[in-house]
Amino acid sequence: MNGAISDGLIVTWRNLKRIPRIPELAIFAILQSVMFVLLFAFVFGGAIPLPDGGSYREYLMPGIFAQTIVFAAATTAIGMCDDIHKGLLDRFRSLPMSRSAVLIGRTVADVVYNAGILVVLMISGYVVGWRINTGLPELLAGVGLLLLFAVAMAAIGVWLGLAVPSVEVAQQVSFTVLFPITFLSNVFVPPQSLPEWLQPVAEWNPVSTLTAATRELWGNPNPYVGTGLPAEQPALVTVIWVIVILAIFLPAGVRRYRNLSR
Amino acid sequence: MAAITAEGLVKIYRTRKTEVRALDGVDLQVDEGTVMGLLGPNGAGKTTAVRILATLLRPDAGHATVGGFDVVREAHQVRSMIGLSGQYAAVDENLTARENLWMFGRLYQLPSAESSRRAAELLVQFDLVEAADRTVKTYSGGMRRRLDLASALIGRPRLLFLDEPTTGLDPRSRLGMWDVIRRLVRDGVTLLLTTQYLEEADELADIIAVVDHGRIIARGTADQLKSQVGGERIEVVVHDPSEIQRAAEILARDGSGQWTLDEHTRKLTVPATGGAAKLIEVVRDLGEAGVEIDDIALRRPTLDDVFLSLTGHTSETETPEAAA
Ligand SMILES: Nc1ncnc2c1ncn2[C@@H]1O[C@H](COP(=O)(O)OP(=O)(O)OP(=O)(O)O)[C@@H](O)[C@H]1O
Ligand SMILES: [Mg+2]
């Protein structure tokens, strides 16, 4: 256990080192999110009126944060897959180190990386007019929830990276799955505007509950609440989602990692 | 004591459509402090064997021990004794050489200071001091290869696996690598290395195991393998085709067996005993008979010849014509 933590931290160190060494990765990850902010704030924002004169930008930003966290799973998957193909995972597996250190290191590093990106995004959100209308505890609670979800997404990314045959496939699969997940949610549009049979999907979608939870925590407009548990307890449902995802993907990822020796 | 043992190793790679029997019952024994060379052409199963012994791959049948520990059940103990340098350099491109070595040292469970010290030592030993603080991305293939071997040595392993350590190196770097390897062996490291170069196995290995299609088809010292193919030969390239017959008669008399002719290159070959003295005799007889020659040589069998006689094909080419 001790070994898992210290080895895990070394792998984390190594994963974080690469961020300043390939600044393009972080820069484009941030640019992509900033682009979404600008696109929706300035292009679509005017066309999507909120009732009671709420600010669309305040409505939008929590969704952008959630979207960014969700898309981070792709980064994790690609990183994992890259390590396999560069032979680095073989080197790690030939060393007398904790078996879980590689998975821990990848997860922790990606969560830290996401926290950094989140900070940059919050600042750019502030610039376009997003505000937190509550206090510091709520701010921290919201960020905590986002990062908790980031852990779940990293677990999915680790599993995916170990499951696919190449970096390109990791990329393709991630975007094919993640785009619909973020769009079938309350991030950009009210879920009530979706066809009726899709509405429950959008309401239970963890991206929606995560977004709704942070909107509520920060006093940002969240006018289209439906009914039922996800509407009433979005934070709770998000935490349940995180537990479910971890329960499924952690063991699945560990199994994949073991099966590398097949 | 045997540092490495393997009995009946079988490995089958299953893909959706095909099954590849990469290892088909491999037995090995490498004594402590000796060098075993696995020699074989592309696809023979060398990498597969190394990966099983280095705990990266589980065999489908058979078992193996390294340093007395079972490679499947006691993988962790095996890992604390071995160093592995795989066929392709496995180092982090985004770290510097020094950072790579430090990281692998830490993961080999060396304390941080010890790890840095050992890294500095290896950077000197592998001539990487100047590039030590540049990211590996900027390295040439040979530099990566050296860093990879240095990484394998970070924990001073008693057992070393090197998968084609000199593939892709220029002749000078290859000699340098041989030097490094010889020094390790002198310090008592047990080494299992794979190679496609017959010369390399001859140069470095105490015992050579020839692998083909997942089986070991011969094993022994380089000399034993060579004697399996027969002794020395004299080769004569005759200048004028019309004089071949006369030269052949002389070789038949001086040699100790049946001569053969490669008409295309006008090269006559005959088994011969007596070494250099016999060579001089042949030169003299040819000279007295007035046969003009382009080239003459006493040739010892190479491992290429071994391969040819064992498998019916040379190590480089898979074409059966080459054996004809
Ligand atoms: N992951 C894999 N999946 C399917 N087949 C494989 C896999 N790895 C190796 N093989 C097959 O197993 C056989 C042995 O491969 P191996 O890599 O052990 O050969 P090798 O002797 O190291 O060859 P080379 O000199 O080219 O490195 C080959 O036929 C190869 O195609
Ligand atoms: Mg190989």
Side-chain angles (χ1 to χ4, degrees):
Chain A
M1 194 62 217
N2 222 333
I5 292 169
S6 67
D7 290 350
L9 284 178
I10 288 161
V11 179
T12 305
W13 167 84
R14 169 254 164 180
N15 288 337
L16 289 175
K17 270 274 178 191
R18 81 186 248 124
I19 295 170
R21 303 254 163 103
I22 323 176
E24 294 86 355
L25 276 182
I27 290 171
F28 279 97
I30 291 168
L31 277 185
Q32 185 188 323
S33 297
V34 169
M35 194 189 69
F36 266 97
V37 172
L38 297 178
L39 205 61
F40 279 87
F42 293 104
V43 180
F44 302 126
I48 309 175
L50 296 186
D52 316 322
S55 152
Y56 182 73
R57 288 172 200 178
E58 284 198 7
Y59 170 81
L60 176 67
M61 283 313 293
I64 296 282
F65 300 151
Q67 185 199 33
T68 305
I69 295 291
V70 169
F71 270 88
T75 317
T76 306
I78 291 165
M80 203 71 211
C81 208
D82 198 44
D83 280 354
I84 296 179
H85 291 283
K86 296 259 167 73
L88 225 74
L89 231 54
D90 281 347
R91 164 125 280 149
F92 286 144
R93 293 197 304 126
S94 78
L95 291 169
M97 60 189 273
S98 151
R99 282 159 134 313
S100 49
V102 174
L103 309 183
I104 293 175
R106 173 59 59 197
T107 305
V108 175
D110 284 348
V111 171
V112 170
Y113 170 69
N114 277 310
I117 289 193
L118 210 53
V119 168
V120 178
L121 270 187
M122 287 183 149
I123 293 168
S124 47
Y126 190 86
V127 172
V128 298
W130 166 72
R131 293 292 180 274
I132 288 175
N133 303 311
T134 49
L136 185 64
E138 288 83 1
L139 167 65
L140 295 180
V143 170
L145 200 60
L146 282 164
L147 293 183
L148 189 66
F149 199 71
V151 175
M153 291 313 289
I156 295 180
V158 164
W159 170 80
L160 182 65
L162 291 168
V164 294
S166 75
V167 172
E168 288 76 16
V169 177
Q171 206 149 3
Q172 279 301 331
V173 173
S174 313
F175 289 108
T176 313
V177 175
L178 299 179
F179 259 111
I181 289 178
T182 50
F183 279 90
L184 278 180
S185 74
N186 61 2
V187 169
F188 300 108
V189 295
Q192 283 82 354
S193 65
L194 293 171
E196 205 159 312
W197 61 275
L198 271 178
Q199 283 181 23
V201 178
E203 277 164 16
W204 282 92
N205 183 344
V207 184
S208 295
T209 60
L210 176 62
T211 305
T214 47
R215 280 175 186 153
E216 281 178 11
L217 278 166
W218 298 333
N220 295 141
N222 189 33
Y224 305 108
V225 281
T227 50
L229 191 62
E232 284 154 23
Q233 297 285 349
L236 177 69
V237 174
T238 306
V239 172
I240 291 172
W241 264 115
V242 170
I243 292 168
V244 169
I245 291 172
L246 290 179
I248 294 171
F249 286 94
L250 272 188
V254 170
R255 203 171 327 119
R256 284 270 168 197
Y257 188 74
R258 293 226 171 102
N259 283 353
L260 288 175
S261 60
R262 277 282 162 83
Chain B
M1 187 200 136
I4 302 171
T5 66
E7 267 171 53
L9 287 185
V10 173
K11 181 70 199 178
I12 301 164
Y13 291 112
R14 291 186 179 82
T15 56
R16 232 159 286 162
K17 279 179 236 112
T18 55
E19 268 191 11
V20 180
R21 230 177 156 78
L23 291 187
D24 194 13
V26 164
D27 301 321
L28 273 180
Q29 174 158 343
V30 185
D31 289 333
E32 213 171 292
T34 67
V35 181
M36 162 76 80
L38 287 186
L39 174 68
N42 286 141
K46 304 181 296 294
T47 297
T48 305
V50 167
R51 287 174 64 82
I52 288 175
L53 294 173
T55 76
L56 296 182
L57 210 56
R58 218 175 290 215
D60 290 310
H63 57 90
T65 65
V66 169
F69 294 107
D70 188 282
V71 294
V72 175
R73 279 179 291 109
E74 298 162 311
H76 195 80
Q77 285 93 322
V78 171
R79 290 180 190 129
S80 359
M81 310 179 71
I82 63 168
L84 167 68
S85 175
Q87 188 167 359
Y88 306 100
V91 286
D92 192 329
E93 303 235 298
N94 298 306
L95 298 183
T96 66
R98 196 185 300 281
E99 288 167 345
N100 265 295
L101 290 171
W102 179 83
M103 168 174 74
F104 294 136
R106 293 291 287 130
L107 294 174
Y108 211 98
Q109 311 303 326
L110 303 181
S112 181
E114 160 78 6
S115 198
S116 307
R117 215 175 42 70
R118 183 82 183 118
E121 218 171 272
L122 286 164
L123 288 169
V124 173
Q125 193 185 340
F126 284 86
D127 196 19
L128 288 168
V129 175
E130 241 163 85
D133 298 306
R134 261 174 26 208
T135 52
V136 172
K137 241 187 297 199
T138 66
Y139 282 25
S140 73
M143 291 164 80
R144 278 168 208 237
R145 193 77 244 196
R146 294 207 299 274
L147 177 59
D148 195 71
L149 180 53
S151 306
L153 299 178
I154 192 83
R156 297 183 191 281
R158 302 299 303 149
L159 281 136
L160 199 55
F161 296 99
L162 304 180
D163 195 359
E164 303 198 17
T166 65
T167 302
L169 296 187
D170 63 29
R172 202 173 57 101
S173 312
R174 177 187 287 189
L175 291 180
M177 189 63 91
W178 284 1
D179 254 6
V180 170
I181 292 172
R182 283 201 200 91
R183 235 176 299 149
L184 289 167
V185 173
R186 214 174 316 130
D187 293 343
V189 168
T190 305
L191 171 62
L192 185 134
L193 100 156
T194 78
T195 181
Q196 297 180 36
Y197 302 116
L198 311 161
E199 185 197 358
E200 184 162 278
D202 195 356
E203 196 68 37
L204 298 174
D206 299 314
I207 304 279
I208 297 169
V210 183
V211 194
D212 197 36
H213 298 299
R215 290 171 174 277
I216 292 183
I217 54 172
R219 80 184 79 210
T221 62
D223 287 338
Q224 283 169 349
L225 289 179
K226 284 173 184 173
S227 69
Q228 221 169 311
V229 202
E232 300 175 332
R233 276 165 294 183
I234 290 174
E235 286 179 0
V236 180
V237 178
V238 182
H239 180 72
D240 185 346
S242 67
E243 290 184 328
I244 287 178
Q245 192 50 44
R246 212 137 43 89
E249 280 161 19
I250 292 168
L251 289 185
R253 201 178 61 222
D254 291 348
S256 54
Q258 181 60 45
W259 55 268
T260 56
L261 169 68
D262 181 345
E263 273 181 65
H264 186 64
T265 56
R266 304 182 313 281
K267 181 160 74 182
L268 284 159
T269 306
V270 72
T273 50
K278 179 59 79 180
L279 182 66
I280 292 168
E281 188 186 332
V282 172
V283 172
R284 203 189 51 222
D285 290 351
L286 287 170
E288 278 172 6
V291 176
E292 198 182 336
I293 56 173
D294 285 344
D295 194 16
I296 186 162
L298 180 67
R299 204 158 89 80
R300 300 194 163 81
T302 64
L303 286 167
D304 259 319
D305 301 323
V306 175
F307 218 90
L308 189 61
S309 76
L310 287 172
T311 66
H313 58 83
T314 63
S315 64
E316 326 289 339
T317 56
E318 292 272 337
T319 47
E321 285 84 28

